[in-house]
Amino acid sequence: MKKQFFLATLVAMATVFVAQKMSAQENQSKPLDKATKNAVIASLLTQMDDKYIFPETAKAAALKIKEYQKKGVYNTITDPGEFTRLLTEQYRDIIKDKHLSVWYNPNQKPKDGPKDEAVEKEREARFLRHMGRQNFGLPKLDILEGNVGYLKIDGFGPVDKVGETVTGAMMYLANTEALIIDLRDNGGGEPDLVRYVASYFFGDEPVHINDLYYRKGNETTEYWTIPVHGKKYIGKPVYVLISGRTFSGGEELAYDLQTQKRATLVGETTGGGANPGDMADLGNGFFAFIPDGRAINPITKTNWEGVGVKPDVAVPAADALKKAHTMALEELLETATDDMSRDFYKKGLEAIQQ
């Protein structure tokens, strides 16, 4: 079964959106009783024990949650939203895994349950329309002063839906002399599209950029760069903007390019979520996203879980674009070989420093 980072699939993204938008009135119309809460907690503990990437951590967390039960922490809670928020906060506090999440949505169908093909098609169509309004996660590209390219990527959708948009963006930027990739608002997505984007910055020889290890089956999926459409962005400076909002797949692209020494990271340390996983049905309209894998970088042999990806140049996220733009033009000026080019980059620097 193919795994993914949180918010990587249409189902996961739609699920979280719906769960967050549920009204208090709807939640209150179905007050929780003790038996339901105990059943949800029991299912969560069992599935965490079966699936979570670090079994011993799951067992330790279960002891803490049972301790909360004995103390009556959940006794007065009747609102499903409040219940799931508390469970999510407690688990994240205990195991320090920001991918783990619990939510309530009585209208959501279990992932492995029977599917209504017409309903599923309409749901996907609605989501694709929504993504299309955000240009499939690439909301902005530009050519800045001094012929420096700018590409903002806010998420990574499926390659078969988003790949051609990435290709079009890279073709537009192909004649720039340096590139800034803005991941400051990137919340993650599909590892396959992370690899597709990364592949534009390496030559034709495959480069090993990341692995995803899964507890079930003791399996590892390797990610190497692949052939892409259009012209690659080779031999030119690349800067990546990051912030505390950069998460999951956004962090992976930044980390991949940083560890391969293919880009300079500018901004703030990222959110720190590196464990892929899948949705689990807890019963009674409750669901959880349980990380069942972990990223392993082939160079560092570790990942950014819990610590985030650290920038090469630390500046407030709001100042990262100007800083990266300045650095790009200074690098181009330093390597310029003729007076016309030097004058061109100097004028670009003067323009952005006004």
Side-chain angles (χ1 to χ4, degrees):
M1 179 186 295
K2 182 181 177 181
K3 305 292 183 175
Q4 61 280 325
F5 287 112
F6 189 45
L7 298 185
T9 62
L10 303 180
V11 173
M13 295 177 79
T15 294
V16 174
F17 177 78
V18 170
Q20 291 175 339
K21 294 298 181 180
M22 288 184 64
S23 68
Q25 182 177 6
E26 181 179 359
N27 282 339
Q28 292 171 359
S29 67
K30 298 179 180 179
L32 283 175
D33 56 30
K34 183 177 180 180
T36 300
K37 287 183 285 188
N38 286 342
V40 170
I41 290 174
S43 179
L44 178 58
L45 297 185
T46 297
Q47 297 203 53
M48 282 289 291
D49 187 59
D50 290 341
K51 300 174 182 178
Y52 188 64
I53 180 60
F54 301 114
E56 295 307 314
T57 301
K59 293 182 188 302
L63 293 176
K64 192 67 177 176
I65 296 297
K66 289 178 181 178
E67 181 183 322
Y68 289 144
Q69 277 185 295
K70 288 181 181 178
K71 290 180 177 179
V73 171
Y74 312 109
N75 288 355
T76 61
I77 298 176
T78 59
D79 176 61
E82 182 183 351
F83 181 55
T84 56
R85 282 191 296 272
L86 180 58
L87 281 174
T88 298
E89 290 170 4
Q90 289 174 335
Y91 253 108
R92 289 183 180 180
D93 182 61
I94 297 166
I95 67 175
K96 312 301 181 186
D97 191 323
K98 295 180 181 179
H99 271 119
L100 193 142
S101 183
V102 185
W103 67 91
Y104 174 69
N105 182 1
N107 299 315
Q108 183 176 335
K109 302 297 183 184
K111 181 179 177 182
D112 298 325
K115 297 287 191 299
D116 184 318
E117 188 173 339
V119 171
E120 292 300 315
K121 281 187 176 181
E122 174 56 25
R123 181 180 299 167
E124 181 175 348
R126 285 199 306 270
F127 185 77
L128 289 175
R129 285 197 295 272
H130 173 70
M131 287 292 291
R133 292 176 184 131
Q134 302 173 50
N135 200 35
F136 293 96
L138 282 71
K140 187 174 182 180
L141 73 159
D142 200 358
I143 297 177
L144 308 178
E145 293 285 347
N147 198 29
V148 174
Y150 172 83
L151 173 62
K152 183 173 173 58
I153 308 177
D154 287 349
F156 299 101
V159 174
D160 62 337
K161 302 293 193 302
V162 184
E164 64 179 12
T165 302
V166 172
T167 296
M170 294 306 298
M171 289 176 67
Y172 177 81
L173 297 166
N175 295 315
T176 59
E177 295 167 81
L179 178 62
I180 298 170
I181 305 173
D182 191 346
L183 302 178
R184 288 176 293 180
D185 296 311
N186 191 302
E190 294 279 359
D192 286 340
L193 192 67
V194 174
R195 170 175 59 183
Y196 189 80
V197 173
S199 296
Y200 276 95
F201 303 101
F202 299 93
D204 295 333
E205 190 71 24
V207 176
H208 190 188
I209 57 173
N210 191 42
D211 288 337
L212 292 178
Y213 167 79
Y214 298 101
R215 173 183 168 185
K216 185 177 181 180
N218 192 31
E219 296 178 349
T220 298
T221 300
E222 295 185 351
Y223 287 85
W224 295 69
T225 56
I226 57 175
V228 291
H229 298 290
K231 189 176 180 181
K232 290 193 171 187
Y233 206 88
I234 306 296
K236 302 176 185 179
V238 177
Y239 293 82
V240 177
L241 312 185
I242 56 176
S243 76
R245 298 183 301 278
T246 309
F247 196 66
S248 193
E251 294 177 279
E252 195 220 314
L253 179 61
Y255 197 68
D256 292 347
L257 296 178
Q258 183 186 53
T259 55
Q260 296 286 343
K261 302 187 185 304
R262 186 58 191 92
T264 300
L265 274 51
V266 182
E268 301 169 346
T269 300
T270 62
N275 296 336
D278 213 344
M279 186 177 73
D281 181 8
L282 305 180
N284 296 289
F286 290 86
F287 299 85
F289 187 90
I290 298 179
D292 56 1
R294 62 187 178 95
I296 304 174
N297 182 274
I299 294 175
T300 65
K301 308 302 180 184
T302 185
N303 60 49
W304 58 94
E305 179 64 40
V307 296
V309 181
K310 293 177 173 54
D312 299 301
V313 179
V315 296
D319 301 330
L321 176 55
K322 183 175 182 179
K323 179 64 175 178
H325 193 182
T326 300
M327 291 176 65
L329 288 176
E330 288 175 343
E331 183 173 355
L332 292 171
L333 179 60
E334 184 178 344
T335 57
T337 57
D338 60 86
D339 291 340
M340 182 180 293
S341 296
R342 282 188 283 271
D343 288 342
F344 178 70
Y345 301 135
K346 285 178 181 178
K347 287 180 181 178
L349 278 168
E350 291 170 359
I352 64 176
Q353 289 171 355
Q354 289 178 353

